[in-house]
């Protein structure tokens, strides 16, 4: 007897069978099902990964970090001054340390913060002035401390009077100017970088 294959399950059945005894599907139903468009199930929008929470910039901690790290610049300034090197080159180093300290303590390290750069620049100005004054105070102590019986603290306290008497304020201003100029170079570069990072973050 003539046979055929079921168009649904592929089983060998008799040609006169109306429906397949195995799957129960007729040829008409099998053809109709084959021509139906595929059924797609919409599970909704894919869940987007939760963005990392944006940490608030802790300015107070950042200022503390800037001052702490900039102490390294003060120490380096003092050492170079005693070796008769132009200690003004430390201006850039002091700014970089202050900016690094601000970033670590404020939570903005590597993200760029214009506010942090400005604060670091101000800290650099203060700390370089402190370093210069300490160096001059130590110099006064070496030259006059023993002769006048002054302690180091007393020598530092009378330093402004000594500078005025010796007419050295111009020389001091020149040394500070070099340090501030080199520090400003680093500050400008850091501000440009911070602005670029801020724009990139907003674009994303």
């Amino acid at each position: 007897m003539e046979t055929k294959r079921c168009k649904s399950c592929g089983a060998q059945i008799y040609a006169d069978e109306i429906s397949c005894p195995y799957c129960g599907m007729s040829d008409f139903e099998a053809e109709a099902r084959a021509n139906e468009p595929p059924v797609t199930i919409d599970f909704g929008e894919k869940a987007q990964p939760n963005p990392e929470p944006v940490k608030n910039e802790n300015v107070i901690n950042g200022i503390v970090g800037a001052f702490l790290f900039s102490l390294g610049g003060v120490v380096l300034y003092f050492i170079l001054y005693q070796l008769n090197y132009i200690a003004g080159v430390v201006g850039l180093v002091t700014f970089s340390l202050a900016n690094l300290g601000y970033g670590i303590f404020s939570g903005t390290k590597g993200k760029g913060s214009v506010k942090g750069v400005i604060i670091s620049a101000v800290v650099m100005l203060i700390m370089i002035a402190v370093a210069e004054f300490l160096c001059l105070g130590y110099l006064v102590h070496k030259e006059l401390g023993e002769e006048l019986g002054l302690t180091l603290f007393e020598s530092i306290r009378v330093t402004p009077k000594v500078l005025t008497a010796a007419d050295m304020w111009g020389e001091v201003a020149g040394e500070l100017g070099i340090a501030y100029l080199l520090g400003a170079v680093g500050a400008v570069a850091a501000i440009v970088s911070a602005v670029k990072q801020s724009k990139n973050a907003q674009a994303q």
Side-chain angles (χ1 to χ4, degrees):
M1 191 172 183
E2 189 177 356
T3 61
K4 64 179 180 179
R5 286 191 176 277
C6 172
K7 294 183 179 180
S8 177
C9 67
Q12 197 76 22
I13 60 175
Y14 292 115
D16 59 353
E17 292 278 7
I18 297 176
S19 61
C20 176
Y22 299 101
C23 67
M25 188 76 68
S26 66
D27 288 348
F28 176 76
E29 291 173 324
E31 289 178 359
R33 179 166 292 185
N35 293 328
E36 288 179 355
V39 178
T40 57
I41 301 175
D42 185 9
F43 292 100
E45 295 183 359
K46 293 182 178 180
Q48 297 295 327
N50 293 328
E52 292 184 4
V54 179
K55 294 182 178 179
N56 292 329
E57 184 172 350
N58 194 322
V59 177
I60 301 300
N61 285 354
I63 293 173
V64 173
F67 273 106
L68 288 177
F69 274 60
S70 64
L71 288 174
V74 173
V75 173
L76 184 58
Y77 192 104
F78 186 85
I79 292 173
L80 291 179
Y81 196 96
Q82 306 311 312
L83 297 175
N84 293 321
Y85 285 103
I86 301 177
V89 298
V90 184
L92 179 58
V93 175
T94 304
F95 167 77
S96 300
L97 289 172
N99 197 36
L100 175 61
Y102 181 92
I104 293 174
F105 277 66
S106 68
T108 60
K109 183 176 181 294
K111 299 177 182 178
S113 168
V114 176
K115 186 187 299 182
V117 173
I118 294 173
I119 290 174
S120 299
V122 173
V123 170
M124 180 269 296
L125 294 175
I126 295 172
M127 298 305 279
I128 288 296
V130 169
E132 176 73 12
F133 193 73
L134 288 176
C135 290
L136 292 170
Y138 183 71
L139 182 62
V140 169
H141 181 66
K142 284 200 307 182
E143 297 294 332
L144 304 174
E146 185 175 347
E147 180 181 341
L148 300 177
L150 299 175
T151 65
L152 177 59
F153 178 76
E154 290 171 336
S155 298
I156 293 174
R157 191 177 55 168
V158 301
T159 294
K161 295 180 180 180
V162 174
L163 294 176
T164 301
D167 195 20
M168 291 180 59
W169 285 110
E171 183 180 339
V172 172
E175 292 176 350
L176 288 176
I178 295 174
Y180 289 157
L181 178 62
L182 294 176
V185 171
V188 170
I191 287 176
V192 172
S193 176
V195 169
K196 286 182 179 179
Q197 289 182 354
S198 179
K199 287 182 178 179
N200 291 337
Q202 290 176 359
Q204 294 174 357

